Amino acid sequence: MSAIKRNNVRVSGKGNQPIMFAHGYGCDQNMWRFIYPAFEDNYKIVLFDHVGAGNSDETAYSTAKYNSLDGYVSDILEICTELGLQDVIFVGHSVSAIMGVLAAGREPERFQNLILIGPSPRYINGDGYIGGFNPEDIEGLMEALDSNYLGWSANMAPVIMGNPDRPELGEELTNSFCRTNPEIAKQFARVTFLSDNRKDLAVVETPSLILQCSEDVIAPREVGEYVCRNLKNSTFYLMKATGHCPNLSAPEETIQAIEDYLAGVLL
Amino acid sequence: MSINNYEKIPGESAEELYENAPCGYLSFVGDGTVVKINKTLLSWLNYEKEEVLFVKKIQSILSIGGRIFFETHFFPLIRMQGFVKEINFDLVRKDKSPLPVLLNVNEVAGPEGNQKVYRATIFDITDRKKYEKELMAARKKAEGAASAKAEFLATISHEIRTPLNAVIGIANLIQKTPLNDQQKEYARILKLSSDGLLGLVNDILDFSKIEKGKIKLEEKSFVLKDVVHMVVSTLAVKAGEKNIDLQLDMDSNLPATLLGDPLKLNQILTNLIGNAIKFTREGFVKLVISLLEKEGSKALLQFRVIDTGIGIPEDKLEAIFEEFSQASYEINLGYGGTGLGLTISQKLLQLHGSHMEVASESGKGSEFSFSISYKISGEKPKAEVEENPAIYRRKLESAKVLVVDDTPVNITIILEYLKEWNVACKSAGNGVEALELVSGNEFDLILMDLQMPEMNGYEATEAIRRLDLTKQPAIIALSASARGDISEKLRISGFNDYVPKPFDPADLYKVLISHIGNIENEAKQDFSVALSQEEPESKEGDRLAELIAEPFDLSYYVKVTKKKEASLEEILFKTIKAFEEYKDQFSAAIDEKDTGKLAGLVHKSKMTIHYIQAKKLDKVVQEARELVDNEENDAELIEEKLKELQTEFQVVIEGLKSVRVNDLISKSN
């Protein structure tokens, strides 16, 4: 099956320089809604959904393939190949930021820059490393996932109909945002939160920007700084925005930071 | 009394209602800081107001899982659409105990322009959660029981298969010994019953595989007519025994080759037609296949099996699809059967995205129907020409076979068959013995049991493949567990094919001839010798052919199929298919001037061309070969000869297609 169909790839924009946005755990490509329009004039925008999220083809999901981040990384590289993309600027949020690092490790010639929003190579504290979570915390999360305690799925099917305060949202968001199959969400959570990709940082030399939010519970500042120390050619930028999704909570600041970096201002 | 008095009843101001509401109210800003909270929620959480207001963030009263969920799903959603309804979270009380709640949040403008405030309404669902958990537990228990049942059935059936193998084998063999009338009758019943038992065991195994989701649909190219013909000709025998007319009506515009799973289609059709025949005392059973719609490369086919049988009472129409159920207890007594066939067919159809429909009238008859959408295949599947058995019998006679099995009675049975077919054979009781024998002797084919002590079938095969032999034998697994395509495990170990246990002698024969026949030993097999030995029989055919000057003559086929309509149909179909394939292959080989390929084709097609006495075709083939072999000849000549060859092929093919089997049979009587 073509990657374009499998990952619900959407290409837009007037420019030739490709900029690819990869959503993180919990959402789909719609989370870039406030960001990508700012780049449409000068870039070729590539948006996609990870398998199991948004409008991707769920039948393509297999526990064997997506047992580790490598399966997702392969998809990313496949999309690049199918679209014939070169010198890609990769913008990855959360776990997708690490996927970008892994992708650049596998095909360094393919990527020009990595823009990493809230990256974390490992979430669990241990042997001097601060990931932000204790093993019991993650176990608690896994238990909650396994017992379906949080009812994550059906209730998240969004109801975006006739919201008078947000006329710009539009029809196409209906029923596609944050709609992740619960079984897949469980495994994706496991794969994400139990991963350890610290050693994969050192091999990548692609120039990178790390956008670190203040008070990000999921990817705390210590983690962002760790990534910066271990990723060659990386620039660390502390944002005023708080929380884990600055692309949604502070889109203007996020756009500005990316633009400044690409223009060489932030170096 | 006036309205105004009731407006201002103490204890009912908006403020008081807010604080004492039966639900919790909580407001927080963008970074999570709590800016307003009502008394109810505070009491649920066991906090004092000062401990929370502007001090705590909402994240801190969520469990860890909730916190992550909040950051990754919940908050983005609110930012996107301005509200979230009915999300289930676990709040964390002061004493760290969990409080399951339902959260509704709205984004509203804050008091200072730009800032947003998130206003949450919180419902305590402790009770509901408890009931949910109990329901889930009960459901898991029930599912566990169902799966344990299926597992148990599968295990038992597996165990039964081994001794069943012996019973069926012996039943077959006994029928071949001299018996008096009474013994013949006993033997017949024995075979019938043991075959029936095998059917039951296979059904159970299939059913449990489907339940476990272990059955997948294949996607391969197949010829629809072939599958249908195989089913019909197999069941025609049973129908004939009961004097029921078995009819086939296929739409003329059905696509010839499809992409799909022919085995499953065969299984479903066999089940339906078999049932129809079983439950019909007189009249007919008809299979109708029509093209409902065709769009681009997809075709929607409808299959209907209609019978004039005993019918099904209306209130049982749903029940017959349930496992182990038949229309009634009496049906089971009178007609036997497992009650699994329809269930399996229904589940297989579900895999295809389809379902079975039934219409019936008690005493009049029934109609079972379903439709499947297939992709039309551009490819032609591999040609499987079933050449004349006599030629293969000869190949078997010169073959050396080794039988490896740790059960003496299984060896006895197989050796009996092999001796009947005049095959030279040796036997070994386990993998180690087999390895010794293979090292010291040359074998063309090995029948290898899988479960054996000391060295099992897999290990033995792997070891044999590692030996440095002048010729590696074909190794066939004798397997009690494989059904359907050869499993990956067998392939990896080096097996060529398998015969399922218990096996029909016909299955064994088929596998033998297909693997011994594939050995390219041009030096050993002298076809001209075989040809000359066939001459006397076909001389009559020769004369006849000359008289009528037909492009071919089918009297040999009529003889070999013993004038059986269904067999003749089948062999004709296979021949037509083969010739269509040959026509293309010959064209390609001549175009490319590939002498090697051409020689191979001539060799391959020689027998069939001979058996249908297609003399002109034979001649043109030889001429074409000579032209290509002689490299000097110019392109025009070859082009001409190629056209002649294609024409003659076409003449033969069209001629074969227009043969009416009934006429052919009556003409030869």
Side-chain angles (χ1 to χ4, degrees):
Chain A
M1 179 190 305
S2 101
I4 295 180
K5 180 171 180 294
R6 177 187 61 210
N7 290 98
N8 190 28
V9 178
R10 304 246 187 82
V11 181
S12 62
K14 302 194 196 118
N16 289 323
Q17 166 65 48
I19 183 167
M20 179 189 245
F21 293 91
H23 70 84
Y25 175 69
C27 281
D28 61 26
Q29 59 182 268
N30 286 299
M31 68 150 13
W32 298 109
R33 204 157 218 287
F34 299 139
I35 305 291
Y36 78 81
F39 297 90
E40 266 184 319
D41 281 342
N42 300 316
Y43 295 86
K44 181 196 271 196
I45 315 280
V46 179
L47 293 166
F48 71 94
D49 297 327
H50 285 305
V51 172
N55 276 327
S56 64
D57 190 341
E58 230 174 74
T59 63
Y61 189 83
S62 87
T63 35
K65 177 175 178 185
Y66 297 100
N67 206 3
S68 76
L69 293 180
D70 288 319
Y72 294 96
V73 174
S74 298
D75 285 352
I76 289 172
L77 293 171
E78 229 180 276
I79 295 173
C80 292
T81 307
E82 256 184 56
L83 291 174
L85 303 177
Q86 292 297 336
D87 304 316
V88 177
I89 299 173
F90 181 89
V91 184
H93 174 255
S94 190
V95 65
S96 290
I98 295 302
M99 287 183 203
V101 171
L102 292 171
R106 270 165 54 177
E107 285 185 23
E109 343 68 56
R110 184 77 78 173
F111 298 93
Q112 179 181 294
N113 292 99
L114 296 176
I115 298 185
L116 312 172
I117 306 181
S120 176
R122 178 177 144 139
Y123 293 86
I124 304 184
N125 302 328
D127 46 84
Y129 170 79
I130 298 177
F133 295 93
N134 290 318
E136 316 84 71
D137 295 339
I138 302 297
E139 256 175 59
L141 169 66
M142 293 306 150
E143 264 171 38
L145 288 173
D146 280 338
S147 70
N148 200 24
Y149 213 33
L150 288 174
W152 292 19
S153 57
N155 288 334
M156 292 305 283
V159 178
I160 307 187
M161 289 192 236
N163 187 337
D165 293 339
R166 297 289 191 92
E168 74 273 19
L169 284 181
E171 279 283 313
E172 72 260 30
L173 272 187
T174 312
N175 286 334
S176 73
F177 186 72
C178 288
R179 190 190 50 173
T180 305
N181 175 310
E183 285 305 316
I184 298 178
K186 274 191 236 169
Q187 189 177 10
F188 195 16
R190 250 175 245 132
V191 167
T192 301
F193 290 102
L194 298 179
S195 65
D196 188 342
N197 292 100
R198 290 176 292 169
K199 55 174 174 29
D200 295 298
L201 296 171
V203 301
V204 172
E205 301 195 348
T206 316
S208 315
L209 171 68
I210 298 162
L211 289 178
Q212 176 67 48
C213 280
S214 315
E215 301 165 46
D216 181 351
V217 178
I218 312 278
R221 185 168 172 168
E222 294 88 351
V223 173
E225 286 171 346
Y226 177 91
V227 174
C228 182
R229 279 199 303 279
N230 289 283
L231 191 60
K232 297 191 190 83
N233 297 330
S234 64
T235 304
F236 181 89
Y237 181 72
L238 182 65
M239 298 180 74
K240 293 198 201 64
T242 58
H244 190 55
C245 301
N247 49 332
L248 281 170
S249 62
E252 300 83 15
E253 192 189 357
T254 309
I255 294 172
Q256 195 63 54
I258 297 177
E259 279 179 342
D260 287 346
Y261 174 74
L262 291 176
V265 171
L266 273 186
L267 282 172
Chain B
M1 288 221 223
S2 81
I3 293 180
N4 289 331
N5 291 344
Y6 286 96
E7 287 282 292
K8 304 250 176 82
I9 295 180
E12 275 191 13
S13 71
E15 189 67 41
E16 280 150 331
L17 289 174
Y18 174 86
E19 289 293 343
N20 299 305
C23 59
Y25 287 120
L26 176 73
S27 300
F28 58 95
V29 289
D31 70 353
T33 308
V34 176
V35 297
K36 199 167 179 187
I37 183 169
N38 75 345
K39 275 204 191 124
T40 311
L41 186 55
L42 284 168
S43 75
W44 285 351
L45 297 173
N46 259 320
Y47 278 112
E48 297 300 327
K49 200 166 185 174
E50 330 54 87
E51 291 177 288
V52 178
L53 211 54
F54 293 106
V55 171
K56 279 200 180 309
K57 295 196 173 158
I58 182 171
Q59 288 93 326
S60 59
I61 56 167
L62 294 173
S63 61
I64 271 285
R67 233 175 278 177
I68 297 179
F69 183 67
F70 185 86
E71 296 291 354
T72 55
H73 293 68
F74 194 78
F75 194 73
L77 191 55
I78 292 189
R79 276 291 302 157
M80 297 290 308
Q81 65 182 18
F83 64 89
V84 175
K85 288 196 192 334
E86 307 244 308
I87 299 295
N88 168 215
F89 272 105
D90 258 11
L91 296 185
V92 175
R93 295 197 180 89
K94 186 169 180 180
D95 64 357
K96 303 279 191 277
S97 62
L99 170 68
V101 301
L102 223 49
L103 219 62
N104 292 280
V105 183
N106 281 294
E107 186 184 75
V108 295
E112 289 150 31
N114 244 346
Q115 190 198 49
K116 299 278 186 204
V117 172
Y118 300 93
R119 203 178 56 215
T121 311
I122 299 174
F123 294 100
D124 178 348
I125 55 163
T126 312
D127 277 346
R128 192 176 108 168
K129 264 288 142 179
K130 201 175 79 171
Y131 299 144
E132 251 179 50
K133 269 180 134 174
E134 284 172 13
L135 262 173
M136 285 289 287
R139 191 174 98 171
K140 276 211 164 119
K141 201 165 163 206
E143 284 173 354
S147 125
K149 180 173 95 178
E151 188 75 46
F152 174 70
L153 280 175
T155 313
I156 293 277
S157 306
H158 228 275
E159 297 297 312
I160 291 178
R161 260 178 150 172
T162 312
L164 190 50
N165 182 33
V167 171
I168 291 185
I170 296 291
N172 276 323
L173 287 175
I174 278 188
Q175 285 186 320
K176 300 202 161 108
T177 63
L179 299 171
N180 66 36
D181 283 342
Q182 188 179 53
Q183 289 169 321
K184 279 204 184 112
E185 181 59 13
Y186 288 162
R188 190 187 72 83
I189 297 175
L190 177 64
K191 174 121 171 57
L192 212 63
S193 308
S194 51
D195 280 346
L197 188 54
L198 177 62
L200 170 56
V201 165
N202 283 341
D203 272 356
I204 294 179
L205 277 172
D206 266 353
F207 175 68
S208 75
K209 267 200 187 150
I210 294 182
E211 286 288 276
K212 285 201 206 164
K214 282 194 178 161
I215 300 263
K216 287 206 169 64
L217 287 184
E218 299 269 349
E219 201 176 84
K220 57 165 125 173
S221 201
F222 68 95
V223 177
L224 183 61
K225 258 188 182 141
D226 280 354
V227 174
V228 174
H229 265 251
M230 179 133 65
V231 174
V232 168
S233 51
T234 310
L235 290 166
V237 178
K238 280 208 190 117
E241 283 168 13
K242 290 178 85 172
N243 254 326
I244 298 171
D245 196 11
L246 182 54
Q247 300 168 5
L248 173 62
D249 180 357
M250 283 177 73
D251 220 337
S252 53
N253 58 354
L254 288 169
T257 320
L258 301 169
L259 265 182
D261 192 328
L263 278 179
K264 306 284 183 309
L265 180 60
N266 180 312
Q267 201 169 355
I268 299 170
L269 289 176
T270 303
N271 170 242
L272 289 183
I273 299 178
N275 276 352
I277 295 175
K278 193 161 94 168
F279 290 107
T280 303
R281 293 197 193 111
E282 57 183 3
F284 68 84
V285 169
K286 186 156 122 169
L287 169 63
V288 180
I289 309 179
S290 13
L291 180 66
L292 285 187
E293 44 179 76
K294 184 162 135 178
E295 206 185 289
S297 63
K298 273 200 169 149
L300 183 62
L301 271 61
Q302 185 196 49
F303 298 80
R304 293 157 60 209
V305 175
I306 308 164
D307 68 58
T308 53
I310 60 173
I312 306 160
E314 196 170 329
D315 56 345
K316 292 284 189 289
L317 284 179
E318 264 186 55
I320 51 173
F321 290 105
E322 284 164 30
E323 56 257 32
F324 300 116
S325 88
Q326 287 157 305
S328 73
Y329 185 58
E330 286 72 28
I331 292 285
N332 182 276
L333 283 184
Y335 293 89
T338 62
L340 275 180
L342 274 180
T343 315
I344 293 176
S345 295
Q346 180 76 294
K347 289 202 188 277
L348 288 178
L349 281 175
Q350 278 165 5
L351 281 179
H352 283 88
S354 173
H355 68 277
M356 184 90 73
E357 283 180 6
V358 57
S360 180
E361 211 184 309
S362 265
K364 291 256 176 75
S366 313
E367 177 175 323
F368 284 80
S369 60
F370 60 92
S371 8
I372 300 183
S373 175
Y374 282 108
K375 287 194 215 135
I376 300 175
S377 167
E379 298 167 25
K380 285 195 194 141
K382 291 179 275 202
E384 292 157 27
V385 180
E386 216 178 67
E387 300 188 6
N388 189 305
I391 254 308
Y392 280 101
R393 231 178 284 144
R394 218 146 283 129
K395 289 183 191 174
L396 282 189
E397 282 161 18
S398 61
K400 295 193 205 69
V401 171
L402 172 65
V403 183
V404 187
D405 195 315
D406 67 329
T407 314
V409 76
N410 286 340
I411 295 199
T412 311
I413 294 173
I414 300 179
L415 288 182
E416 283 289 336
Y417 288 133
L418 293 179
K419 287 207 191 93
E420 199 192 295
W421 302 324
N422 280 325
V423 179
C425 44
K426 282 195 167 54
S427 68
N430 61 45
V432 177
E433 279 181 41
L435 213 53
E436 276 174 35
L437 282 171
V438 171
S439 310
N441 300 281
E442 204 183 82
F443 289 104
D444 295 303
L445 187 140
I446 302 179
L447 291 167
M448 180 84 76
D449 184 24
L450 291 176
Q451 322 296 66
M452 291 185 292
E454 281 187 61
M455 187 192 269
N456 67 33
Y458 295 104
E459 292 164 337
T461 304
E462 284 163 15
I464 292 174
R465 292 301 183 211
R466 286 195 290 267
L467 291 176
D468 187 22
L469 302 171
T470 30
K471 189 180 76 175
Q472 277 282 348
I475 305 185
I476 316 288
L478 297 172
S479 165
S481 49
R483 268 163 74 70
D485 267 350
I486 184 171
S487 80
E488 205 48 45
K489 199 172 171 199
L490 289 176
R491 226 194 293 265
I492 292 174
S493 292
F495 285 93
N496 296 86
D497 205 338
Y498 79 97
V499 177
K501 282 202 282 199
F503 53 82
D504 213 90
D507 291 340
L508 183 60
Y509 190 82
K510 235 189 274 183
V511 163
L512 285 176
I513 64 175
S514 72
H515 287 277
I516 293 186
N518 274 343
I519 296 168
E520 294 292 294
N521 261 321
E522 313 232 346
K524 285 200 186 141
Q525 271 142 10
D526 190 2
F527 280 105
S528 55
V529 171
L531 259 177
S532 60
Q533 285 180 317
E534 295 303 312
E535 293 287 29
E537 283 145 351
S538 67
K539 269 225 170 80
E540 251 176 44
D542 268 359
R543 253 181 275 138
L544 213 54
E546 273 165 18
L547 285 176
I548 319 176
E550 290 259 345
F552 55 83
D553 176 80
L554 297 175
S555 40
Y556 192 74
Y557 271 3
V558 171
K559 186 162 169 273
V560 140
T561 58
K562 301 200 176 84
K563 300 190 192 172
K564 282 217 198 95
E565 206 179 320
S567 312
L568 253 178
E569 287 267 27
E570 195 178 301
I571 205 170
L572 271 176
F573 259 88
K574 294 215 159 138
T575 309
I576 292 171
K577 209 171 38 109
F579 275 126
E580 280 170 342
E581 186 86 66
Y582 284 146
K583 181 170 155 224
D584 288 348
Q585 289 175 337
F586 267 103
S587 303
I590 293 176
D591 245 338
E592 295 158 26
K593 295 216 182 60
D594 190 338
T595 47
K597 213 191 225 173
L598 195 52
L601 279 171
V602 170
H603 184 80
K604 216 165 90 164
S605 60
K606 200 170 192 154
M607 293 325 300
T608 319
I609 293 182
H610 174 77
Y611 286 122
I612 62 166
Q613 289 290 297
K615 290 179 173 286
K616 174 137 189 237
L617 182 59
D618 198 6
K619 196 162 74 116
V620 181
V621 165
Q622 294 303 335
E623 287 168 359
R625 184 192 182 163
E626 270 165 278
L627 273 184
V628 172
D629 277 351
N630 184 344
E631 285 172 349
E632 283 175 20
N633 274 309
D634 64 325
E636 248 191 71
L637 262 177
I638 294 186
E639 184 71 35
E640 249 185 65
K641 189 52 75 177
L642 175 56
K643 284 213 178 75
E644 201 189 325
L645 181 62
Q646 286 169 330
T647 311
E648 191 54 37
F649 259 118
Q650 205 53 35
V651 163
V652 171
I653 291 169
E654 294 305 322
L656 286 172
K657 279 186 177 166
S658 65
V659 164
R660 307 222 19 246
V661 168
N662 299 350
D663 289 358
L664 192 61
I665 294 178
S666 41
K667 238 197 274 177
S668 67
N669 277 339

